[in-house]
Every structure is written in structure tokens, then in C-alpha cells.
Amino acid sequence: MVVVDILSIPSFNDLKGEFEVELKMEFKWKDERLNVDGLEKKTNYDPRRLSNFWTPDPYILHQRSLFSASIMKQSEALRIYPDKSVKYGVLQNVRVGCDLQFRHYPADSQTCSIFLISFGFTEDVVKFVWGREVRLRYHGVQGVISLDNYKDLEQHHVSNHPYTHLGESPKSGLEIRLLLQRRLSVHVTQTFIPSAMLVCISWLSLFIPPDLVPGRMALCVTTLLTLVTMFGSTTSTAPSTAYLKSSDIWMFGCLFTVFIILSEYCVVLYLRGLSNFPEEQRKDLDKSVTAWKKMQFCDAKKTSETLDR
């Protein structure tokens, strides 16, 4: 029988796909071979004597690191009961890997599991069962665990299930399932609202007369460069994936909108140039004829003066 309390989640690393969790675990089993003659009540023993007893062999699947909390000695306890039951409790910090999916980032939710599985004994020898539901404990009382990038982890976000590890031979196990929902407020204020405002500013350039080329071009190009910088900053802080995330699609949409507005203005300038080309050509021809007439008049005047002399 297994009882687990989650005391805290000190860190959750999206980039590495792992999280650290502080667990208080209790294992209780019965060994009929124990000699408990004269034992009238439960008795505490030195946990270092655990090696003298038969024990199950649980391990945590996808475990990256594990260490026991201690000050003067390891935080563990060993207790023997008159009915030949053995109870072992330990406090451990475990770093566990989690298969994270970021297709809906930053409006994503993650489901991370902690699997406790028998390493060597098959299911017919050792079978893990839950003693009670997994509880969140904060300062010794049932409460809520706060996380940095995710919403507070409450009791209804935690569930425990039986689990069978399939391999060459089935092995008994247990699963603790955590449902984590990302905090969206930070991304709304730092990414979505500013980028939407920049797109709206680019729309205002449509009300600027086409003749004001420097002002309209400066507004569109500055908006486009600002969005590119924001997109680079967002990408550098977001988890790296081989597929598009929701945040990437949003930023691409903003960039494409500003690009379309800038392209529309270039097309307008080009069409205005085509419509004004015949008139400009006529004006140049008139100027050339006028200059030629003036030149002919000057030559005729010089010739008349010469004849008079």
C-alpha cells in the first residue's frame, strides 16, 4: 500500500521538459516471515536497519535526479506493527521528465505524470495499491501549490491511478497525474495587446494621403521592424519546437497584415505613376519646343544684326 503527499513543486522547466517535486512517500507491506513475538504495539526502528528486511523495489519512471531531504540525517522512518506489517516513510525531492506539447502555447495546458513502478518483481509478486488519494500539503495542511508560469495547483488538478508497466513481464505500478494550466495574463499584456496595437497603427496609414510618401512609408516600415523585433524576443523566450505554436501563428499574422498594407501603398504609388506619365511627357515636350523656339529666335536676331552692319 502506498500513500503519497505532494509538498511542493520548486521548479518547472519548459525548455528542458522537466519539473522538480517534493514528495512524502509511505510504503506499507506485510511480511509473514517476521518474528513479532512480544511486540504489543507499533514500534519505531532505526531506518538504517531497513536492509535487514525484505522490501519492494519501487522506482520513478523518467527520473532525472533524486535526493533525500536531510539536516542531521535522512528524512525517513521505519515502523513495525504487531500484525507483521512494515511501514517505511521517506521525504524526497525528485526531478522528473514530462512530455510537453506546445501547439497551443501560450494558451496550453500540460498533463504530467509521476509513475511509481516495481523494478524487478512482477505483478504476481508485488502489487502496488493506493492507500488513499494523493494530497497536496503546504506547511503540513492541505492547500494549494503556487507555480511561476502556471496557475495554482489545486487538489482537483491531481489524480491518482493504477498503472501496469508492460514489458517482457507485466509489473505493478501507480500513476500520479498533474494537470497544469499556463498563466495567460503575462503573454496577453506583453505580446498580444502590443502587437495588436501596432497592427492598428499600421491601419492608420491608410488615412494618410498618398502624396505624403515619407510619413506614410516611415510609419509602415517602423511598425514592421518593431513587430520583427517583438517576434524575435518572443521566440527566444518560448520553448523551441519543430512545429508552429499558436504564438508563432499570431505573430506571423501580424507581420503579414503590415506587409500587405506596405505592399498596397507601393502598388498605389506605381499606379499613380502610370496615370501621370502621359501628362508629364507632354509637359516635357512643351518645354523642349519652347526652348527650341527661343533658340531659333536668338539665331534669327543675331543674323539680322549682322546684315545691318
Side-chain angles (χ1 to χ4, degrees), residues 194-207:
S195 57
M197 292 176 64
L198 288 172
V199 171
C200 293
I201 290 174
S202 68
W203 289 346
L204 296 178
S205 65
L206 298 175
F207 299 94

Side-chain angles (χ1 to χ4, degrees), residues 21 80-81 84 103 115 123 207-208 211 223 225 247 285:
V21 58
I80 308 298
Y81 291 83
K84 300 184 179 182
R103 295 188 184 278
F115 296 98
E123 195 170 18
F207 299 94
I208 299 177
D211 297 335
T223 304
L225 294 178
S247 58
L285 182 60

Side-chain angles (χ1 to χ4, degrees), residues 44 57 141 176 222 238:
N44 294 326
D57 56 347
V141 297
I176 304 172
T222 302

Side-chain angles (χ1 to χ4, degrees), residues 242-256:
Y243 49 83
L244 287 177
K245 303 181 288 290
S246 295
S247 58
D248 299 332
I249 297 175
W250 170 267
M251 293 305 299
F252 278 131
C254 294
L255 289 171
F256 184 73

Side-chain angles (χ1 to χ4, degrees), residues 230-243:
M230 182 181 295
F231 179 64
S233 176
T234 303
T235 304
S236 63
T237 57
S240 179
T241 60
Y243 49 83

Side-chain angles (χ1 to χ4, degrees), residues 81-100:
Y81 291 83
D83 63 349
K84 300 184 179 182
S85 296
V86 182
K87 185 177 183 180
Y88 174 73
V90 64
L91 182 64
Q92 291 185 329
N93 283 64
V94 187
R95 191 176 297 275
V96 187
C98 181
D99 184 17
L100 304 178

Side-chain angles (χ1 to χ4, degrees), residues 27-305:
F27 302 88
K28 188 176 182 180
W29 67 93
K30 182 177 286 189
D31 190 348
E32 296 293 344
R33 299 170 298 178
L34 284 179
N35 185 1
V36 292
D37 294 341
L39 189 66
E40 298 180 354
K41 60 179 182 179
K42 59 184 179 181
T43 304
N44 294 326
Y45 282 80
D46 188 347
R48 291 176 295 181
R49 299 179 60 183
L50 181 65
S51 58
N52 298 329
F53 297 86
W54 178 91
T55 62
D57 56 347
Y59 77 100
I60 297 177
L61 192 64
H62 306 309
Q63 170 186 308
R64 305 284 176 85
S65 63
L66 181 146
F67 61 92
S68 299
S70 63
I71 299 178
M72 296 183 180
K73 60 179 182 179
Q74 297 288 344
S75 301
E76 53 185 354
L78 178 62
R79 185 173 296 171
I80 308 298
Y81 291 83
D83 63 349
K84 300 184 179 182
S85 296
V86 182
K87 185 177 183 180
Y88 174 73
V90 64
L91 182 64
Q92 291 185 329
N93 283 64
V94 187
R95 191 176 297 275
V96 187
C98 181
D99 184 17
L100 304 178
Q101 299 294 327
F102 297 107
R103 295 188 184 278
H104 301 290
Y105 177 89
D108 59 323
S109 60
Q110 306 292 343
T111 301
C112 295
S113 295
I114 303 173
F115 296 98
L116 193 67
I117 303 171
S118 177
F119 181 76
F121 296 115
T122 58
E123 195 170 18
D124 56 346
V125 177
V126 172
K127 186 173 180 61
F128 292 134
V129 295
W130 287 110
R132 59 166 171 79
E133 65 176 7
V134 177
R135 295 178 182 174
L136 301 178
R137 295 284 183 178
Y138 186 72
H139 294 299
V141 297
Q142 189 167 349
V144 177
I145 294 180
S146 298
L147 300 170
D148 292 334
N149 298 326
Y150 293 87
K151 296 181 180 179
D152 293 343
L153 187 66
E154 301 180 5
Q155 186 63 50
H156 65 273
H157 295 145
V158 181
S159 59
N160 49 291
H161 309 273
Y163 177 77
T164 300
H165 184 65
L166 301 177
E168 295 181 359
S169 56
K171 296 176 182 178
S172 178
L174 300 173
E175 178 187 3
I176 304 172
R177 195 174 298 168
L178 308 177
L179 178 61
L180 305 173
Q181 296 179 337
R182 191 178 303 276
R183 296 181 186 271
L184 192 58
S185 56
V186 176
H187 299 277
V188 170
T189 56
Q190 294 184 359
T191 302
F192 293 111
I193 292 180
S195 57
M197 292 176 64
L198 288 172
V199 171
C200 293
I201 290 174
S202 68
W203 289 346
L204 296 178
S205 65
L206 298 175
F207 299 94
I208 299 177
D211 297 335
L212 302 179
V213 178
R216 190 163 178 176
M217 288 294 292
L219 181 60
C220 292
V221 173
T222 302
T223 304
L224 184 63
L225 294 178
T226 305
L227 283 173
V228 170
T229 304
M230 182 181 295
F231 179 64
S233 176
T234 303
T235 304
S236 63
T237 57
S240 179
T241 60
Y243 49 83
L244 287 177
K245 303 181 288 290
S246 295
S247 58
D248 299 332
I249 297 175
W250 170 267
M251 293 305 299
F252 278 131
C254 294
L255 289 171
F256 184 73
T257 302
V258 178
F259 173 76
I260 289 298
I261 293 175
L262 184 59
S263 301
E264 178 268 343
Y265 184 51
C266 294
V267 172
V268 169
L269 291 180
Y270 177 74
L271 295 178
R272 284 173 61 88
L274 289 180
S275 62
N276 294 332
F277 179 75
E279 182 179 355
E280 293 178 356
Q281 189 177 28
R282 181 180 56 80
K283 290 181 179 180
D284 293 339
L285 182 60
D286 293 342
K287 291 180 180 179
S288 299
V289 172
T290 302
W292 181 79
K293 289 181 177 179
K294 288 182 178 179
M295 186 175 60
Q296 293 295 328
F297 176 76
C298 292
D299 291 342
K301 186 176 180 181
K302 290 181 180 180
T303 302
S304 175
E305 291 177 351

